[in-house]
Amino acid sequence: TVAVENEGSPRDLLVARFGAAGDEQMMTAVRQLGDEEMQGLAVAADGSMIVGARTPGGALSLARLDATGRVIERKALDPTAGSQLRGLSIAPDGDLLLLTQDGAEAELRRVATGGLDIGEPVQRLAMTASSLAVAADGRVAVGGRRNGDGVR
């Protein structure tokens, strides 16, 4: 699955899935809140997807798509916080893990399977986060910099 930005106005997000031979299996426009910048994409085992984007006004938005590309749910988050999405990943239990950066603090959040309701952070990290990885056993790794002195 590939997510790209469409250079129209207003800019919609374009999500496409291709087979191993390069054949297009699905393509859909995800109309969110306007002229958005793609910040992340996660694909679940059943083929459903979560798309993360940021609007020029700073709102972080998520969209849940089914395996055919139909948008099931959209949600804008933290419209005034200026959070940046640093990582999206699907945990082995199907929940979405969301890594955001707001100033000097990164936050790891868990979003329950089947919805986009964001709760309190599971973990707050005093670092500038740059990546998120989830192992098959559920262990989580966050990469980034702490105090400006290297990768952790």
Side-chain angles (χ1 to χ4, degrees):
T1 301
V2 177
V4 296
E5 294 174 292
N6 184 16
E7 290 298 326
S9 180
R11 187 173 11 179
D12 294 326
L13 306 175
L14 185 64
V15 178
R17 176 179 286 129
F18 298 92
D23 56 311
E24 180 183 310
Q25 297 177 341
M26 177 276 300
M27 185 177 296
T28 189
V30 180
R31 291 173 176 84
Q32 289 280 81
L33 302 173
D35 191 21
E36 294 178 293
E37 175 186 337
M38 174 69 70
Q39 290 195 316
L41 173 72
V43 181
D46 66 359
S48 62
M49 296 159 274
I50 302 289
V51 177
R54 185 170 180 203
T55 66
L60 180 62
S61 65
L62 296 175
R64 183 179 297 277
L65 288 71
D66 68 14
T68 67
R70 183 176 59 93
V71 177
I72 299 169
E73 183 179 5
R74 294 180 183 94
K75 188 162 194 164
L77 313 167
D78 301 328
T80 59
S83 294
Q84 292 183 348
L85 182 62
R86 297 301 176 116
L88 283 176
S89 190
I90 306 293
D93 64 3
D95 285 359
L96 173 69
L97 294 177
L98 179 70
L99 179 65
T100 60
Q101 184 75 40
D102 191 6
E105 187 173 79
E107 296 180 337
L108 182 64
R109 297 174 185 263
R110 182 174 287 270
V111 180
T113 303
L116 294 178
D117 293 328
I118 308 297
E120 289 299 311
V122 173
Q123 184 78 43
R124 286 189 168 91
L125 307 163
M127 66 184 298
T128 301
S130 60
S131 60
L132 170 68
V134 181
D137 66 1
R139 289 181 295 155
V140 175
V142 175
R145 294 168 32 135
R146 177 183 248 161
N147 299 326
D149 64 352
V151 178
R152 300 283 178 192

PDB file of all heavy atoms in Angstrom, residues 85-122:
ATOM      1  N   LEU A  85       2.757  14.267  13.607  1.00  0.00           N
ATOM      2  CA  LEU A  85       2.725  12.815  13.636  1.00  0.00           C
ATOM      3  C   LEU A  85       4.108  12.296  13.267  1.00  0.00           C
ATOM      4  O   LEU A  85       4.650  12.651  12.233  1.00  0.00           O
ATOM      5  CB  LEU A  85       1.677  12.303  12.651  1.00  0.00           C
ATOM      6  CG  LEU A  85       1.492  10.805  12.593  1.00  0.00           C
ATOM      7  CD1 LEU A  85       1.012  10.270  13.927  1.00  0.00           C
ATOM      8  CD2 LEU A  85       0.501  10.452  11.502  1.00  0.00           C
ATOM      9  N   ARG A  86       4.681  11.471  14.116  1.00  0.00           N
ATOM     10  CA  ARG A  86       6.013  10.920  13.862  1.00  0.00           C
ATOM     11  C   ARG A  86       5.974   9.443  13.520  1.00  0.00           C
ATOM     12  O   ARG A  86       6.945   8.913  13.006  1.00  0.00           O
ATOM     13  CB  ARG A  86       6.916  11.146  15.071  1.00  0.00           C
ATOM     14  CG  ARG A  86       7.168  12.602  15.384  1.00  0.00           C
ATOM     15  CD  ARG A  86       7.827  13.303  14.202  1.00  0.00           C
ATOM     16  NE  ARG A  86       7.990  14.705  14.452  1.00  0.00           N
ATOM     17  CZ  ARG A  86       9.162  15.307  14.540  1.00  0.00           C
ATOM     18  NH1 ARG A  86      10.270  14.639  14.397  1.00  0.00           N
ATOM     19  NH2 ARG A  86       9.212  16.598  14.784  1.00  0.00           N
ATOM     20  N   GLY A  87       4.854   8.772  13.840  1.00  0.00           N
ATOM     21  CA  GLY A  87       4.775   7.357  13.517  1.00  0.00           C
ATOM     22  C   GLY A  87       3.386   6.799  13.749  1.00  0.00           C
ATOM     23  O   GLY A  87       2.674   7.235  14.643  1.00  0.00           O
ATOM     24  N   LEU A  88       2.997   5.874  12.887  1.00  0.00           N
ATOM     25  CA  LEU A  88       1.760   5.104  13.010  1.00  0.00           C
ATOM     26  C   LEU A  88       2.137   3.647  12.856  1.00  0.00           C
ATOM     27  O   LEU A  88       2.923   3.300  11.976  1.00  0.00           O
ATOM     28  CB  LEU A  88       0.796   5.424  11.862  1.00  0.00           C
ATOM     29  CG  LEU A  88      -0.009   6.695  11.854  1.00  0.00           C
ATOM     30  CD1 LEU A  88      -0.799   6.790  10.554  1.00  0.00           C
ATOM     31  CD2 LEU A  88      -0.945   6.753  13.024  1.00  0.00           C
ATOM     32  N   SER A  89       1.576   2.788  13.675  1.00  0.00           N
ATOM     33  CA  SER A  89       1.826   1.363  13.525  1.00  0.00           C
ATOM     34  C   SER A  89       0.656   0.593  14.127  1.00  0.00           C
ATOM     35  O   SER A  89       0.020   1.066  15.064  1.00  0.00           O
ATOM     36  CB  SER A  89       3.130   0.971  14.220  1.00  0.00           C
ATOM     37  OG  SER A  89       3.486  -0.342  13.892  1.00  0.00           O
ATOM     38  N   ILE A  90       0.391  -0.570  13.575  1.00  0.00           N
ATOM     39  CA  ILE A  90      -0.651  -1.442  14.107  1.00  0.00           C
ATOM     40  C   ILE A  90       0.005  -2.452  15.044  1.00  0.00           C
ATOM     41  O   ILE A  90       0.943  -3.158  14.654  1.00  0.00           O
ATOM     42  CB  ILE A  90      -1.394  -2.192  12.971  1.00  0.00           C
ATOM     43  CG1 ILE A  90      -1.945  -1.221  11.928  1.00  0.00           C
ATOM     44  CG2 ILE A  90      -2.481  -3.090  13.548  1.00  0.00           C
ATOM     45  CD1 ILE A  90      -3.047  -0.318  12.397  1.00  0.00           C
ATOM     46  N   ALA A  91      -0.467  -2.512  16.278  1.00  0.00           N
ATOM     47  CA  ALA A  91       0.043  -3.473  17.264  1.00  0.00           C
ATOM     48  C   ALA A  91      -0.491  -4.867  16.950  1.00  0.00           C
ATOM     49  O   ALA A  91      -1.494  -5.007  16.245  1.00  0.00           O
ATOM     50  CB  ALA A  91      -0.382  -3.038  18.671  1.00  0.00           C
ATOM     51  N   PRO A  92       0.155  -5.911  17.470  1.00  0.00           N
ATOM     52  CA  PRO A  92      -0.310  -7.274  17.212  1.00  0.00           C
ATOM     53  C   PRO A  92      -1.769  -7.520  17.617  1.00  0.00           C
ATOM     54  O   PRO A  92      -2.444  -8.350  17.019  1.00  0.00           O
ATOM     55  CB  PRO A  92       0.645  -8.137  18.051  1.00  0.00           C
ATOM     56  CG  PRO A  92       1.885  -7.321  18.153  1.00  0.00           C
ATOM     57  CD  PRO A  92       1.406  -5.891  18.221  1.00  0.00           C
ATOM     58  N   ASP A  93      -2.279  -6.785  18.624  1.00  0.00           N
ATOM     59  CA  ASP A  93      -3.671  -6.963  19.042  1.00  0.00           C
ATOM     60  C   ASP A  93      -4.646  -6.175  18.167  1.00  0.00           C
ATOM     61  O   ASP A  93      -5.851  -6.189  18.403  1.00  0.00           O
ATOM     62  CB  ASP A  93      -3.851  -6.575  20.508  1.00  0.00           C
ATOM     63  CG  ASP A  93      -3.575  -5.102  20.793  1.00  0.00           C
ATOM     64  OD1 ASP A  93      -3.284  -4.333  19.840  1.00  0.00           O
ATOM     65  OD2 ASP A  93      -3.654  -4.720  21.968  1.00  0.00           O
ATOM     66  N   GLY A  94      -4.138  -5.453  17.158  1.00  0.00           N
ATOM     67  CA  GLY A  94      -4.991  -4.701  16.245  1.00  0.00           C
ATOM     68  C   GLY A  94      -5.162  -3.237  16.602  1.00  0.00           C
ATOM     69  O   GLY A  94      -5.680  -2.462  15.810  1.00  0.00           O
ATOM     70  N   ASP A  95      -4.740  -2.838  17.803  1.00  0.00           N
ATOM     71  CA  ASP A  95      -4.824  -1.428  18.182  1.00  0.00           C
ATOM     72  C   ASP A  95      -3.824  -0.614  17.366  1.00  0.00           C
ATOM     73  O   ASP A  95      -2.798  -1.121  16.913  1.00  0.00           O
ATOM     74  CB  ASP A  95      -4.502  -1.242  19.666  1.00  0.00           C
ATOM     75  CG  ASP A  95      -5.631  -1.682  20.585  1.00  0.00           C
ATOM     76  OD1 ASP A  95      -6.683  -2.111  20.082  1.00  0.00           O
ATOM     77  OD2 ASP A  95      -5.446  -1.605  21.812  1.00  0.00           O
ATOM     78  N   LEU A  96      -4.123   0.670  17.211  1.00  0.00           N
ATOM     79  CA  LEU A  96      -3.232   1.596  16.523  1.00  0.00           C
ATOM     80  C   LEU A  96      -2.325   2.251  17.549  1.00  0.00           C
ATOM     81  O   LEU A  96      -2.783   2.696  18.605  1.00  0.00           O
ATOM     82  CB  LEU A  96      -4.063   2.672  15.809  1.00  0.00           C
ATOM     83  CG  LEU A  96      -3.293   3.822  15.172  1.00  0.00           C
ATOM     84  CD1 LEU A  96      -2.508   3.330  13.970  1.00  0.00           C
ATOM     85  CD2 LEU A  96      -4.261   4.928  14.764  1.00  0.00           C
ATOM     86  N   LEU A  97      -1.031   2.300  17.257  1.00  0.00           N
ATOM     87  CA  LEU A  97      -0.091   3.056  18.076  1.00  0.00           C
ATOM     88  C   LEU A  97       0.252   4.318  17.313  1.00  0.00           C
ATOM     89  O   LEU A  97       0.566   4.283  16.125  1.00  0.00           O
ATOM     90  CB  LEU A  97       1.163   2.237  18.362  1.00  0.00           C
ATOM     91  CG  LEU A  97       0.940   1.010  19.225  1.00  0.00           C
ATOM     92  CD1 LEU A  97       2.229   0.224  19.383  1.00  0.00           C
ATOM     93  CD2 LEU A  97       0.381   1.380  20.582  1.00  0.00           C
ATOM     94  N   LEU A  98       0.176   5.440  18.003  1.00  0.00           N
ATOM     95  CA  LEU A  98       0.328   6.756  17.407  1.00  0.00           C
ATOM     96  C   LEU A  98       1.437   7.488  18.153  1.00  0.00           C
ATOM     97  O   LEU A  98       1.369   7.630  19.370  1.00  0.00           O
ATOM     98  CB  LEU A  98      -1.004   7.488  17.551  1.00  0.00           C
ATOM     99  CG  LEU A  98      -1.173   8.884  17.056  1.00  0.00           C
ATOM    100  CD1 LEU A  98      -1.160   8.899  15.531  1.00  0.00           C
ATOM    101  CD2 LEU A  98      -2.509   9.435  17.548  1.00  0.00           C
ATOM    102  N   LEU A  99       2.474   7.914  17.447  1.00  0.00           N
ATOM    103  CA  LEU A  99       3.571   8.656  18.047  1.00  0.00           C
ATOM    104  C   LEU A  99       3.507  10.093  17.543  1.00  0.00           C
ATOM    105  O   LEU A  99       3.533  10.333  16.341  1.00  0.00           O
ATOM    106  CB  LEU A  99       4.915   8.034  17.651  1.00  0.00           C
ATOM    107  CG  LEU A  99       6.171   8.722  18.176  1.00  0.00           C
ATOM    108  CD1 LEU A  99       6.245   8.644  19.701  1.00  0.00           C
ATOM    109  CD2 LEU A  99       7.403   8.093  17.545  1.00  0.00           C
ATOM    110  N   THR A 100       3.348  11.041  18.470  1.00  0.00           N
ATOM    111  CA  THR A 100       3.275  12.454  18.103  1.00  0.00           C
ATOM    112  C   THR A 100       4.384  13.226  18.802  1.00  0.00           C
ATOM    113  O   THR A 100       4.910  12.788  19.829  1.00  0.00           O
ATOM    114  CB  THR A 100       1.915  13.079  18.468  1.00  0.00           C
ATOM    115  OG1 THR A 100       1.710  12.983  19.881  1.00  0.00           O
ATOM    116  CG2 THR A 100       0.776  12.404  17.728  1.00  0.00           C
ATOM    117  N   GLN A 101       4.712  14.381  18.238  1.00  0.00           N
ATOM    118  CA  GLN A 101       5.715  15.267  18.813  1.00  0.00           C
ATOM    119  C   GLN A 101       5.072  16.618  19.023  1.00  0.00           C
ATOM    120  O   GLN A 101       4.459  17.172  18.114  1.00  0.00           O
ATOM    121  CB  GLN A 101       6.905  15.407  17.858  1.00  0.00           C
ATOM    122  CG  GLN A 101       8.039  16.224  18.400  1.00  0.00           C
ATOM    123  CD  GLN A 101       8.843  15.462  19.439  1.00  0.00           C
ATOM    124  OE1 GLN A 101       9.090  14.277  19.293  1.00  0.00           O
ATOM    125  NE2 GLN A 101       9.232  16.134  20.502  1.00  0.00           N
ATOM    126  N   ASP A 102       5.190  17.155  20.211  1.00  0.00           N
ATOM    127  CA  ASP A 102       4.684  18.489  20.519  1.00  0.00           C
ATOM    128  C   ASP A 102       5.760  19.208  21.317  1.00  0.00           C
ATOM    129  O   ASP A 102       5.934  18.959  22.507  1.00  0.00           O
ATOM    130  CB  ASP A 102       3.380  18.401  21.303  1.00  0.00           C
ATOM    131  CG  ASP A 102       2.684  19.738  21.425  1.00  0.00           C
ATOM    132  OD1 ASP A 102       3.151  20.718  20.812  1.00  0.00           O
ATOM    133  OD2 ASP A 102       1.675  19.818  22.143  1.00  0.00           O
ATOM    134  N   GLY A 103       6.525  20.056  20.646  1.00  0.00           N
ATOM    135  CA  GLY A 103       7.628  20.731  21.308  1.00  0.00           C
ATOM    136  C   GLY A 103       8.727  19.747  21.644  1.00  0.00           C
ATOM    137  O   GLY A 103       9.145  18.945  20.806  1.00  0.00           O
ATOM    138  N   ALA A 104       9.214  19.760  22.894  1.00  0.00           N
ATOM    139  CA  ALA A 104      10.321  18.902  23.315  1.00  0.00           C
ATOM    140  C   ALA A 104       9.851  17.534  23.797  1.00  0.00           C
ATOM    141  O   ALA A 104      10.663  16.720  24.221  1.00  0.00           O
ATOM    142  CB  ALA A 104      11.106  19.587  24.419  1.00  0.00           C
ATOM    143  N   GLU A 105       8.552  17.265  23.746  1.00  0.00           N
ATOM    144  CA  GLU A 105       8.025  16.014  24.277  1.00  0.00           C
ATOM    145  C   GLU A 105       7.321  15.191  23.206  1.00  0.00           C
ATOM    146  O   GLU A 105       6.498  15.699  22.456  1.00  0.00           O
ATOM    147  CB  GLU A 105       7.043  16.315  25.414  1.00  0.00           C
ATOM    148  CG  GLU A 105       6.575  15.091  26.152  1.00  0.00           C
ATOM    149  CD  GLU A 105       5.746  15.448  27.365  1.00  0.00           C
ATOM    150  OE1 GLU A 105       4.563  15.767  27.195  1.00  0.00           O
ATOM    151  OE2 GLU A 105       6.288  15.398  28.475  1.00  0.00           O
ATOM    152  N   ALA A 106       7.676  13.910  23.143  1.00  0.00           N
ATOM    153  CA  ALA A 106       6.986  12.965  22.268  1.00  0.00           C
ATOM    154  C   ALA A 106       5.967  12.210  23.116  1.00  0.00           C
ATOM    155  O   ALA A 106       6.163  12.003  24.314  1.00  0.00           O
ATOM    156  CB  ALA A 106       7.975  11.994  21.646  1.00  0.00           C
ATOM    157  N   GLU A 107       4.856  11.824  22.483  1.00  0.00           N
ATOM    158  CA  GLU A 107       3.820  11.070  23.191  1.00  0.00           C
ATOM    159  C   GLU A 107       3.440   9.842  22.385  1.00  0.00           C
ATOM    160  O   GLU A 107       3.217   9.930  21.185  1.00  0.00           O
ATOM    161  CB  GLU A 107       2.583  11.933  23.403  1.00  0.00           C
ATOM    162  CG  GLU A 107       2.832  13.124  24.304  1.00  0.00           C
ATOM    163  CD  GLU A 107       1.612  13.986  24.516  1.00  0.00           C
ATOM    164  OE1 GLU A 107       0.683  13.963  23.674  1.00  0.00           O
ATOM    165  OE2 GLU A 107       1.577  14.686  25.538  1.00  0.00           O
ATOM    166  N   LEU A 108       3.384   8.715  23.059  1.00  0.00           N
ATOM    167  CA  LEU A 108       2.937   7.466  22.459  1.00  0.00           C
ATOM    168  C   LEU A 108       1.526   7.212  22.955  1.00  0.00           C
ATOM    169  O   LEU A 108       1.278   7.209  24.161  1.00  0.00           O
ATOM    170  CB  LEU A 108       3.865   6.322  22.868  1.00  0.00           C
ATOM    171  CG  LEU A 108       3.556   4.966  22.272  1.00  0.00           C
ATOM    172  CD1 LEU A 108       3.717   4.991  20.755  1.00  0.00           C
ATOM    173  CD2 LEU A 108       4.463   3.907  22.881  1.00  0.00           C
ATOM    174  N   ARG A 109       0.605   7.034  22.007  1.00  0.00           N
ATOM    175  CA  ARG A 109      -0.804   6.812  22.366  1.00  0.00           C
ATOM    176  C   ARG A 109      -1.297   5.519  21.730  1.00  0.00           C
ATOM    177  O   ARG A 109      -0.840   5.132  20.669  1.00  0.00           O
ATOM    178  CB  ARG A 109      -1.672   7.968  21.883  1.00  0.00           C
ATOM    179  CG  ARG A 109      -1.331   9.295  22.534  1.00  0.00           C
ATOM    180  CD  ARG A 109      -2.121  10.432  21.909  1.00  0.00           C
ATOM    181  NE  ARG A 109      -1.724  11.706  22.443  1.00  0.00           N
ATOM    182  CZ  ARG A 109      -2.347  12.341  23.425  1.00  0.00           C
ATOM    183  NH1 ARG A 109      -3.394  11.810  23.989  1.00  0.00           N
ATOM    184  NH2 ARG A 109      -1.911  13.502  23.846  1.00  0.00           N
ATOM    185  N   ARG A 110      -2.263   4.897  22.385  1.00  0.00           N
ATOM    186  CA  ARG A 110      -2.889   3.674  21.873  1.00  0.00           C
ATOM    187  C   ARG A 110      -4.328   4.017  21.524  1.00  0.00           C
ATOM    188  O   ARG A 110      -5.040   4.618  22.315  1.00  0.00           O
ATOM    189  CB  ARG A 110      -2.842   2.574  22.926  1.00  0.00           C
ATOM    190  CG  ARG A 110      -3.428   1.251  22.452  1.00  0.00           C
ATOM    191  CD  ARG A 110      -3.212   0.160  23.481  1.00  0.00           C
ATOM    192  NE  ARG A 110      -1.837  -0.288  23.539  1.00  0.00           N
ATOM    193  CZ  ARG A 110      -1.343  -1.289  22.811  1.00  0.00           C
ATOM    194  NH1 ARG A 110      -2.129  -1.943  21.977  1.00  0.00           N
ATOM    195  NH2 ARG A 110      -0.090  -1.638  22.919  1.00  0.00           N
ATOM    196  N   VAL A 111      -4.738   3.626  20.329  1.00  0.00           N
ATOM    197  CA  VAL A 111      -6.098   3.850  19.851  1.00  0.00           C
ATOM    198  C   VAL A 111      -6.737   2.474  19.687  1.00  0.00           C
ATOM    199  O   VAL A 111      -6.218   1.627  18.952  1.00  0.00           O
ATOM    200  CB  VAL A 111      -6.098   4.608  18.503  1.00  0.00           C
ATOM    201  CG1 VAL A 111      -7.503   4.840  18.014  1.00  0.00           C
ATOM    202  CG2 VAL A 111      -5.336   5.917  18.632  1.00  0.00           C
ATOM    203  N   ALA A 112      -7.856   2.241  20.365  1.00  0.00           N
ATOM    204  CA  ALA A 112      -8.496   0.931  20.355  1.00  0.00           C
ATOM    205  C   ALA A 112      -8.908   0.512  18.952  1.00  0.00           C
ATOM    206  O   ALA A 112      -9.289   1.338  18.117  1.00  0.00           O
ATOM    207  CB  ALA A 112      -9.718   0.935  21.269  1.00  0.00           C
ATOM    208  N   THR A 113      -8.832  -0.781  18.686  1.00  0.00           N
ATOM    209  CA  THR A 113      -9.213  -1.361  17.407  1.00  0.00           C
ATOM    210  C   THR A 113     -10.602  -0.916  17.006  1.00  0.00           C
ATOM    211  O   THR A 113     -11.522  -0.904  17.820  1.00  0.00           O
ATOM    212  CB  THR A 113      -9.188  -2.906  17.504  1.00  0.00           C
ATOM    213  OG1 THR A 113      -7.888  -3.305  17.906  1.00  0.00           O
ATOM    214  CG2 THR A 113      -9.551  -3.558  16.187  1.00  0.00           C
ATOM    215  N   GLY A 114     -10.756  -0.534  15.752  1.00  0.00           N
ATOM    216  CA  GLY A 114     -12.065  -0.207  15.212  1.00  0.00           C
ATOM    217  C   GLY A 114     -12.521   1.220  15.411  1.00  0.00           C
ATOM    218  O   GLY A 114     -13.602   1.589  14.985  1.00  0.00           O
ATOM    219  N   GLY A 115     -11.730   2.060  16.038  1.00  0.00           N
ATOM    220  CA  GLY A 115     -12.143   3.436  16.256  1.00  0.00           C
ATOM    221  C   GLY A 115     -10.978   4.394  16.116  1.00  0.00           C
ATOM    222  O   GLY A 115      -9.858   3.992  15.836  1.00  0.00           O
ATOM    223  N   LEU A 116     -11.252   5.659  16.310  1.00  0.00           N
ATOM    224  CA  LEU A 116     -10.218   6.684  16.262  1.00  0.00           C
ATOM    225  C   LEU A 116     -10.243   7.552  17.513  1.00  0.00           C
ATOM    226  O   LEU A 116      -9.817   8.690  17.494  1.00  0.00           O
ATOM    227  CB  LEU A 116     -10.389   7.568  15.011  1.00  0.00           C
ATOM    228  CG  LEU A 116     -10.168   6.885  13.671  1.00  0.00           C
ATOM    229  CD1 LEU A 116     -10.406   7.859  12.526  1.00  0.00           C
ATOM    230  CD2 LEU A 116      -8.774   6.286  13.579  1.00  0.00           C
ATOM    231  N   ASP A 117     -10.773   7.015  18.614  1.00  0.00           N
ATOM    232  CA  ASP A 117     -10.827   7.769  19.859  1.00  0.00           C
ATOM    233  C   ASP A 117      -9.463   7.748  20.535  1.00  0.00           C
ATOM    234  O   ASP A 117      -8.946   6.692  20.880  1.00  0.00           O
ATOM    235  CB  ASP A 117     -11.891   7.194  20.793  1.00  0.00           C
ATOM    236  CG  ASP A 117     -13.290   7.400  20.253  1.00  0.00           C
ATOM    237  OD1 ASP A 117     -13.510   8.417  19.567  1.00  0.00           O
ATOM    238  OD2 ASP A 117     -14.153   6.543  20.497  1.00  0.00           O
ATOM    239  N   ILE A 118      -8.889   8.931  20.688  1.00  0.00           N
ATOM    240  CA  ILE A 118      -7.553   9.074  21.245  1.00  0.00           C
ATOM    241  C   ILE A 118      -7.658   9.379  22.730  1.00  0.00           C
ATOM    242  O   ILE A 118      -8.292  10.341  23.134  1.00  0.00           O
ATOM    243  CB  ILE A 118      -6.798  10.238  20.561  1.00  0.00           C
ATOM    244  CG1 ILE A 118      -6.839  10.096  19.053  1.00  0.00           C
ATOM    245  CG2 ILE A 118      -5.374  10.338  21.082  1.00  0.00           C
ATOM    246  CD1 ILE A 118      -6.170   8.873  18.514  1.00  0.00           C
ATOM    247  N   GLY A 119      -7.021   8.557  23.546  1.00  0.00           N
ATOM    248  CA  GLY A 119      -7.021   8.778  24.977  1.00  0.00           C
ATOM    249  C   GLY A 119      -5.754   9.473  25.425  1.00  0.00           C
ATOM    250  O   GLY A 119      -5.011  10.047  24.632  1.00  0.00           O
ATOM    251  N   GLU A 120      -5.506   9.408  26.699  1.00  0.00           N
ATOM    252  CA  GLU A 120      -4.297   9.989  27.270  1.00  0.00           C
ATOM    253  C   GLU A 120      -3.073   9.205  26.775  1.00  0.00           C
ATOM    254  O   GLU A 120      -3.177   8.023  26.464  1.00  0.00           O
ATOM    255  CB  GLU A 120      -4.371   9.932  28.794  1.00  0.00           C
ATOM    256  CG  GLU A 120      -5.374  10.891  29.383  1.00  0.00           C
ATOM    257  CD  GLU A 120      -5.041  12.340  29.064  1.00  0.00           C
ATOM    258  OE1 GLU A 120      -3.885  12.759  29.268  1.00  0.00           O
ATOM    259  OE2 GLU A 120      -5.943  13.051  28.595  1.00  0.00           O
ATOM    260  N   PRO A 121      -1.914   9.860  26.756  1.00  0.00           N
ATOM    261  CA  PRO A 121      -0.702   9.161  26.315  1.00  0.00           C
ATOM    262  C   PRO A 121      -0.389   7.957  27.195  1.00  0.00           C
ATOM    263  O   PRO A 121      -0.551   8.003  28.409  1.00  0.00           O
ATOM    264  CB  PRO A 121       0.391  10.220  26.457  1.00  0.00           C
ATOM    265  CG  PRO A 121      -0.325  11.521  26.435  1.00  0.00           C
ATOM    266  CD  PRO A 121      -1.666  11.265  27.052  1.00  0.00           C
ATOM    267  N   VAL A 122       0.057   6.883  26.568  1.00  0.00           N
ATOM    268  CA  VAL A 122       0.527   5.701  27.283  1.00  0.00           C
ATOM    269  C   VAL A 122       1.902   6.000  27.860  1.00  0.00           C
ATOM    270  O   VAL A 122       2.244   5.581  28.947  1.00  0.00           O
ATOM    271  CB  VAL A 122       0.611   4.497  26.317  1.00  0.00           C
ATOM    272  CG1 VAL A 122       1.244   3.295  26.975  1.00  0.00           C
ATOM    273  CG2 VAL A 122      -0.748   4.164  25.756  1.00  0.00           C
TER     274      VAL A 122
END
